[in-house]
Amino acid sequence: MPDLIEARAPDRQRLPPGQVITRKWPVLHYGTVPRVDLAVWSFSVDGAVEQPFAITWEDLQALPRRQTTCDMHCVTRWTRYDNVFEGVPVQLLLQRARVKPEARYALVRAEQGFTTNLPLDDLDRPENLLALSHDGEPLTPEHGGPVRLLVPHLYLWKSAKWVRGIECLEADVPGFWEQNGYHMRGDPWQEERYGRPDPARMRRGPR
C-alpha cells in the first residue's frame, strides 16, 4: 500500500475565509482540454539543479506512490473536503534532480504552454504529488488527467493540470495566471487571490 499523508487543516481553521463548501468538483480551466499522447509524453526537472532529467510515462508508473488526503480550495471560492489523491511524491523528483542551494522558486510547465510559479518551500513538501488518481479513480482529462500537480495548501490554480515539467529558479517568475493578475503565492487562509485589480478570471471549461 502507498504511504498516506494527512494534509487537511485542523477543524477550527479548516475552511479558509471567503470559501463555500461544495460536494461537486467544478471543471475550471482556461482554453480546451488537451489530448495527451502517452506514447510521447515526458516529464522533466531542470533549471538550477545538479542532475536534470526527463522521464517517460512508463518511467513515471514505475516510481513509488503516495496517497494524500486533503481539502481543495479554488480561488473562485469553492472548497471540496476529503479528497484522496494518489501519485508520485514531488519530493522524490526534486531529490533526484539535486536542486542547487541557490534555487528558491519553481516554474511548473504544463500542456499548451501553461505555467504556474511556486516558492520551492511550497513545492518541496511531503503531501505534494504528481497526482494520477482521485478517490480511487484515474484523473479524468477535465480534471487534469493523465497527471496533474497537487499542492493542497495553496489555491487550486497552483495545482496545475496536465503537467510536463518543473524548472527550478533563483528568482520568482510569474506563470500564466499570475501574469493575468492572480497572486504570486495563493495562500487561501490569507485570501491571496489576486495581485492587482481587475484580473482575468478563471472560466468554466467544456464539459
Side-chain angles (χ1 to χ4, degrees):
M1 290 290 293
D3 294 338
L4 178 61
I5 298 288
E6 170 59 70
R8 290 170 291 192
D11 285 345
R12 66 182 181 277
Q13 60 185 45
R14 190 172 179 186
L15 186 66
Q19 297 294 108
V20 176
I21 299 171
T22 180
R23 294 183 179 180
K24 298 179 180 180
W25 187 359
V27 176
L28 296 164
H29 54 260
Y30 183 84
T32 59
V33 176
R35 294 184 179 182
V36 179
D37 184 353
L38 296 181
V40 297
W41 183 93
S42 67
F43 186 91
S44 60
V45 181
D46 52 32
V49 299
E50 299 287 352
Q51 294 183 336
F53 67 90
I55 56 175
T56 66
W57 182 251
E58 289 186 357
D59 295 332
L60 183 70
Q61 299 303 304
L63 293 175
R65 301 284 185 94
R66 178 172 291 163
Q67 290 183 345
T68 294
T69 301
C70 65
D71 302 330
M72 294 189 290
H73 311 293
C74 183
V75 71
T76 59
R77 298 186 182 274
W78 59 262
T79 285
R80 189 180 193 275
Y81 280 170
D82 303 324
N83 305 273
V84 180
F85 287 92
E86 183 173 315
V88 174
V90 171
Q91 284 189 330
L92 181 69
L93 302 173
L94 295 176
Q95 290 166 5
R96 176 174 171 176
R98 296 176 56 196
V99 178
K100 293 181 178 179
E102 58 266 31
R104 292 290 182 269
Y105 300 93
L107 190 68
V108 178
R109 300 187 297 265
E111 298 283 350
Q112 300 178 335
F114 181 85
T115 56
T116 193
N117 62 305
L118 301 101
L120 271 175
D121 285 346
D122 286 316
L123 184 62
D124 190 5
R125 293 168 56 127
E127 68 270 25
N128 296 345
L129 303 175
L130 292 190
L132 299 162
S133 70
H134 174 264
D135 289 351
E137 298 293 333
L139 279 173
T140 64
E142 291 78 12
H143 287 306
V147 57
R148 73 176 295 159
L149 182 64
L150 176 69
V151 183
H153 71 288
L154 299 180
Y155 282 124
L156 198 58
W157 94 80
K158 294 292 186 177
S159 297
K161 298 180 180 181
W162 315 300
V163 288
R164 294 295 298 271
I166 296 170
E167 181 181 2
C168 297
L169 302 168
E170 296 181 32
D172 202 4
V173 175
F176 174 82
W177 284 111
E178 295 78 19
Q179 292 176 41
N180 284 283
Y182 280 56
H183 198 277
M184 289 290 279
R185 181 159 184 259
D187 183 342
W189 287 269
Q190 299 298 319
E191 289 202 85
E192 293 175 342
R193 300 177 191 275
Y194 310 117
R196 64 173 186 264
D198 301 322
R201 295 297 204 272
M202 188 175 296
R203 71 182 184 186
R204 186 176 299 276
R207 290 184 176 275

